[in-house]
């Protein structure tokens, strides 16, 4: 039996070695037809910067050939590949981790071969640029940190930092300005700092982490700690599984300081314009009352997944005698004990706010306007995240980097097939929970194709709730449920489209946010925002994610139709993972490495 297993692994290794040798030769020669012959009719090559200077997934042999023939791929030839570890086989699929080297960088990859020995999926990711490695790289030296010996002109670390803070943005200009200082801006800033790219992060709030601190007091991360590490500096081993908002705020503040970020708090970006001839932005900001003009070459919007709060215009609001808030403005439940509160919406924020209001004794009604996907936190951890991001995953040797790469190796076109079984299992194990919600009148869904939470997030960034207890309040009738659209305010409440009148002292619009580029339009202008087009979504032609198919997240972490303008964001996982690939693109441009782009994002929707 052992000999059979060893023989099978050796055969698998031989197949992978042969495939890689042929693929490397084809790419090095720019021979598209030779490369295409190595891929199955249904096949996917996902490249993160390595061969395309883009984040792109191409499908089928013909598209593979186009990449190999492109100026981008030819510009990084020659290339060598080697297997990292021993390939594995299961269900007719051979899988292997790869390391590769091109003329300009080093990278990591993952390959799946079908039973015919042809590629089904290939992932290639750029890890570092040759000659521009991070100090922590095995191919670079760790910073010494001090200066030994006697030097009458010695400059201390503190003095260097003080000089940098005084000069950058005033007597010398940054290469990059990041608008938005939440986890996305901070993670990207840390990457750029390690790559030696001078960067200023512009944030309206006073301190790093304030965007978390200012939210409703019951807010906590719904993702587990293993999913949420920032680059370079993991959470401590005793960090809670689900982080309270203020704890995350403190961590982000500490992180920004120890990573030596140039973080301009209390600063609002007022306008930004691009000079095509000079390749330079003019970014006007208000820094705590002082107008400052910055002139970076690269501008990044790091505004999370979403943009400006969606607050519907409802007739009669001026005559309503109570309070009206968007969920982003909600301070918490303490002032509303004994009050009648109506929460418009039925996703994460709506449930969190309803739950905390009920706990202090408010009379709470949730208004559901459309169906919602709900998954219990425990079930999500067990069946959807546990194999990659959990204590058991760590115990089995899957660290966060490995988990990230496994997840990245699944092309978006087929990802729903891998997600669906977890949510089918959830329906089975939590059948009673879902039945009680439906009996209470709650309208449930599992996504347009029953693929669940994460595909909804990738496609539209909304429409779900990870249940940490508040759904039970709706199922039990402790939080009342109404359904429909709000048509008008009255003096003492709201009216729904079926005529239902709901008295209210407070109305909370938990109605989400607009597209990120709508918020960017306030700074760069509507014309440029339209030139870039819609941000987020896959083009899946599902609810709120119109086609055509894009293959990757629209306009995220990659070149847009506006040169030198970028978008970065997402949850903590995405902020950590994709910040590397955006940082490498920015670094390459800062040092003059040619970056011909293959498959630049087209624009099909402006918002």
């Amino acid at each position: 039996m052992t000999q059979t297993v060893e023989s099978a692994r050796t055969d698998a290794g031989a197949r992978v070695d042969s495939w890689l040798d042929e693929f490397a030769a084809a790419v090095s020669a720019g021979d598209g037809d030779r490369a295409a012959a190595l891929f199955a009719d249904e096949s996917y090559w996902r490249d993160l910067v390595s061969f395309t200077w883009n984040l792109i997934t191409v499908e089928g042999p013909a598209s593979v050939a186009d990449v190999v023939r492109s100026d981008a791929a030819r510009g990084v030839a020659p290339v060598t590949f080697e297997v990292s570890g021993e390939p594995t086989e299961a269900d007719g699929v051979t899988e292997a981790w790869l390391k590769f080297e091109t003329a300009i960088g080093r990278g990591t990859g993952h390959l799946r071969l079908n039973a015919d020995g042809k590629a089904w999926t290939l992932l290639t990711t750029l890890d570092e640029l040759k000659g521009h490695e991070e100090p922590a790289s095995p191919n670079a030296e760790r910073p010494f940190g001090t200066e030994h010996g006697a030097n009458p002109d010695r400059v201390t670390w503190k003095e260097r930092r003080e000089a940098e803070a005084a000069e950058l943005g005033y007597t010398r200009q940054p290469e990059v300005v990041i608008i938005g200082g939440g986890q996305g801006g901070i993670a990207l800033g840390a990457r750029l700092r390690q790559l030696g790219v001078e960067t200023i992060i512009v944030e309206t709030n006073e301190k790093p982490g304030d965007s978390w601190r200012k939210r409703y007091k019951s807010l906590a991360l719904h993702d587990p700690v293993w999913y949420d590490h920032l680059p370079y500096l993991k959470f401590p081993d005793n960090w809670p599984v689900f982080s309270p908002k203020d704890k995350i705020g403190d961590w982000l503040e500490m992180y920004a300081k120890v990573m030596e970020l140039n973080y301009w708090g209390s600063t609002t970006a007022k306008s930004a314009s691009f000079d095509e001839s000079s390749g330079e932005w003019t970014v006007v900001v208000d820094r705590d009352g002082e107008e400052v003009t910055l002139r970076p070459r690269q501008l990044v919007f790091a505004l999370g997944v979403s943009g400006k709060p969606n607050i519907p215009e409802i007739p009669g609001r001026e005559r309503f005698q109570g309070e009206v808030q968007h969920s982003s403005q909600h301070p918490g439940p303490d002032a509303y004990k004994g009050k009648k509160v109506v929460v418009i919406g039925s996703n994460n924020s709506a449930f969190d706010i309803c739950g905390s209001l009920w706990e202090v004794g408010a009379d709470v009604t949730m208004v559901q306007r459309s169906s919602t996907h709900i998954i219990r936190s425990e079930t999500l951890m067990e069946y959807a995240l546990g194999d990659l991001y959990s204590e058991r995953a760590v115990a089995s040797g899957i660290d966060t980097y490995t988990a990230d790469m496994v997840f990245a190796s699944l092309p978006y076109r087929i990802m729903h097939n891998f997600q669906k079984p977890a949510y089918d299992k959830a329906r089975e194990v939590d059948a009673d929970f879902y039945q009680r919600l439906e009996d209470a009148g709650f309208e449930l869904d599992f996504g347009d194709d029953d693929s669940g939470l994460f595909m909804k997030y990738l496609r539209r960034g909304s429409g779900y709730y990870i249940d940490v207890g508040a759904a039970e309040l709706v199922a039990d009738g402790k939080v009342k449920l109404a359904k429909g659209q709000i048509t008008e305010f009255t003096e003492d409440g709201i009216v729904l489209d079926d005529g239902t009148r709901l008295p209210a002292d407070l109305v909370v619009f938990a109605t989400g946010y607009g597209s990120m580029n709508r918020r960017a339009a306030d700074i760069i202008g509507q014309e440029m925002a339209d030139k870039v087009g819609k941000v987020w979504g896959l083009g899946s032609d599902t609810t709120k994610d119109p086609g055509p198919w894009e293959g990757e997240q629209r306009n995220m972490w990659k070149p847009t139709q506006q040169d030198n303008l970028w978008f970065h964001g997402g949850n903590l996982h995405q902020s950590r993972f994709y910040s590397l690939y955006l940082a490498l693109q920015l670094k390459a441009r800062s040092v003059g490495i040619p970056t011909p782009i293959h498959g630049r994002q087209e624009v099909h929707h402006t918002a």
Side-chain angles (χ1 to χ4, degrees):
M1 184 68 172
T2 302
Q3 290 179 335
T4 302
V5 172
E6 290 297 318
S7 175
R9 292 177 68 187
T10 301
D11 289 345
R15 280 196 300 276
V16 171
D17 288 341
S18 175
W19 192 96
L20 289 175
D21 287 345
E22 181 69 6
F23 184 64
V27 174
S28 297
D31 190 336
D33 292 338
R34 185 176 178 185
L38 297 168
F39 284 75
D41 290 341
E42 183 198 354
S43 54
Y44 309 88
W45 179 7
R46 188 178 193 211
D47 181 59
L48 305 185
V49 183
S50 316
F51 296 96
T52 59
W53 292 110
N54 200 356
L55 275 67
I56 187 171
T57 300
V58 297
E59 303 183 9
S63 295
V64 169
D66 289 342
V67 172
V68 172
R69 296 188 190 111
S70 70
D71 290 342
R74 295 176 73 91
V76 300
V79 58
T80 59
F81 282 85
E82 64 179 35
V83 179
S84 178
E86 183 69 23
T88 61
E89 279 189 299
D91 301 323
V93 176
T94 302
E95 296 193 45
W97 290 103
L98 320 171
K99 290 291 183 183
F100 63 88
E101 192 166 323
T102 71
I104 58 95
R106 302 177 187 90
T108 301
H110 184 271
L111 173 67
R112 292 182 180 91
L113 298 178
N114 66 16
D116 296 325
K118 293 198 172 187
W120 177 34
T121 71
L122 174 65
L123 170 71
T124 48
T125 69
L126 185 64
D127 295 339
E128 60 186 7
L129 296 166
K130 290 180 179 177
H132 306 284
E133 296 85 356
E134 294 183 357
S137 167
N139 301 296
E141 291 187 6
R142 190 185 187 104
F144 196 59
T146 188
E147 180 185 358
H148 287 173
N151 181 0
D153 299 318
R154 181 186 299 275
V155 179
T156 67
W157 171 86
K158 184 173 184 289
E159 289 168 334
R160 287 195 302 272
R161 284 291 291 139
E162 289 172 343
E164 181 180 27
E167 296 167 4
L168 194 62
Y170 294 97
T171 61
R172 73 177 195 272
Q173 290 300 315
E175 171 73 13
V176 179
V177 166
I178 301 171
I179 297 177
Q183 66 255 17
I186 287 171
L188 179 59
R191 298 279 194 190
L192 291 170
R193 182 75 184 188
Q194 295 305 300
L195 287 168
V197 179
E198 290 196 314
T199 302
I200 290 174
I201 301 171
V202 171
E203 168 59 36
T204 303
N205 289 306
E206 179 185 359
K207 296 184 297 185
D210 278 354
S211 57
W212 285 92
R213 295 186 185 101
K214 291 183 176 182
R215 297 296 304 277
Y216 53 89
K217 76 174 191 177
S218 64
L219 177 64
L221 285 177
H222 290 178
D223 302 320
V225 61
W226 307 278
Y227 188 75
D228 292 330
H229 295 300
L230 289 173
Y232 312 114
L233 191 59
K234 293 172 58 178
F235 292 115
D237 289 344
N238 63 349
W239 196 263
V241 174
F242 300 106
S243 305
K245 69 179 183 71
D246 296 286
K247 194 171 180 68
I248 282 290
D250 290 348
W251 180 263
L252 291 173
E253 184 175 5
M254 178 277 298
Y255 183 91
K257 187 171 185 178
V258 300
M259 297 307 293
E260 302 178 17
L261 305 186
N262 295 301
Y263 193 97
W264 285 19
S266 302
T267 302
T268 301
K270 298 170 66 177
S271 65
S273 58
F274 186 66
D275 186 326
E276 298 284 351
S277 60
S278 67
E280 183 179 274
W281 289 91
T282 298
V283 182
V284 179
V285 304
D286 182 321
R287 188 181 188 192
D288 203 14
E290 175 193 10
E291 184 171 287
V292 181
T293 299
L294 302 171
R295 301 188 186 280
R297 289 206 294 166
Q298 307 291 341
L299 181 62
V300 181
F301 282 96
L303 302 172
V305 174
S306 310
K308 299 165 70 172
N310 274 332
I311 304 177
E313 292 290 331
I314 306 297
R317 178 170 170 175
E318 71 284 351
R319 67 174 181 262
F320 178 55
Q321 299 299 305
E323 293 182 72
V324 178
Q325 301 165 351
H326 186 264
S327 59
S328 61
Q329 304 163 325
H330 181 64
D334 295 347
Y336 304 103
K337 180 178 181 180
K339 303 289 187 179
K340 293 184 181 297
V341 183
V342 174
V343 178
I344 311 297
S346 56
N347 297 334
N348 269 334
S349 293
F351 271 99
D352 283 350
I353 290 169
C354 285
S356 61
L357 285 164
W358 179 86
E359 288 178 344
V360 301
D363 181 352
V364 190
T365 301
M366 171 185 285
V367 177
Q368 185 180 29
R369 300 174 302 156
S370 59
S371 64
T372 303
H373 170 60
I374 296 181
I375 182 81
R376 293 177 65 246
S377 177
E378 297 83 355
T379 306
L380 181 71
M381 283 295 301
E382 179 65 24
Y383 299 107
L385 288 174
D387 288 343
L388 294 180
Y389 300 98
S390 69
E391 204 72 80
R392 81 166 186 261
V394 172
S396 66
I398 300 177
D399 60 10
T400 298
Y401 173 76
T402 302
D404 287 351
M405 292 297 289
V406 170
F407 197 79
S409 75
L410 294 172
Y412 288 131
R413 175 75 85 174
I414 60 174
M415 185 177 284
H416 64 284
N417 296 324
F418 291 83
Q419 293 287 307
K420 191 175 181 299
Y423 296 93
D424 290 343
K425 185 67 175 179
R427 287 206 236 207
E428 176 188 332
V429 300
D430 292 328
D432 179 66
F433 167 73
Y434 290 124
Q435 187 60 57
R436 289 189 297 111
L437 276 168
E438 290 181 330
D439 290 346
F442 196 86
E443 188 177 350
L444 292 163
D445 73 58
F446 279 77
D448 287 16
D449 54 4
D450 291 334
S451 58
L453 170 75
F454 202 71
M455 296 311 300
K456 259 199 159 184
Y457 170 72
L458 291 170
R459 291 164 173 169
R460 53 183 280 191
S462 65
Y464 49 82
Y465 170 54
I466 300 174
D467 179 41
V468 294
E472 292 286 353
L473 298 176
V474 173
D476 293 341
K478 294 174 181 176
V479 167
K480 289 176 278 189
L481 180 66
K483 295 170 71 175
Q485 306 296 324
I486 178 173
T487 57
E488 65 174 307
F489 280 95
T490 64
E491 288 188 358
D492 61 355
I494 64 167
V495 180
L496 301 183
D497 53 3
D498 64 355
T500 299
R501 291 177 174 267
L502 299 174
D505 301 299
L506 167 67
V507 175
V508 180
F509 283 101
T511 44
Y513 299 82
S515 173
M516 200 188 303
N517 61 335
R518 288 184 180 175
R519 189 169 173 186
D522 293 341
I523 299 170
I524 60 176
Q526 193 63 54
E527 182 179 354
M528 186 177 288
D530 288 347
K531 178 181 178 182
V532 170
K534 183 178 176 65
V535 178
W536 205 260
L538 299 172
S540 62
D541 204 24
T542 57
T543 304
K544 297 188 177 181
D545 183 28
W549 179 249
E550 305 281 1
E552 294 285 335
Q553 294 272 225
R554 290 187 190 93
N555 283 317
M556 293 297 295
W557 314 295
K558 61 184 178 179
T560 67
Q561 285 292 330
Q562 174 58 56
D563 287 341
N564 301 43
L565 178 64
W566 311 79
F567 288 85
H568 172 60
N571 57 28
L572 281 156
H573 158 262
Q574 292 169 307
S575 295
R576 171 187 69 248
F577 185 71
Y578 289 104
S579 58
L580 171 61
Y581 308 109
L582 177 49
L584 289 171
Q585 293 172 83
L586 295 170
K587 177 65 177 181
R589 286 161 172 80
S590 76
V591 296
I593 295 174
T595 57
I597 300 159
H598 177 75
R600 187 190 290 260
Q601 172 84 60
E602 295 182 6
V603 176
H604 302 286
H605 308 279
T606 57

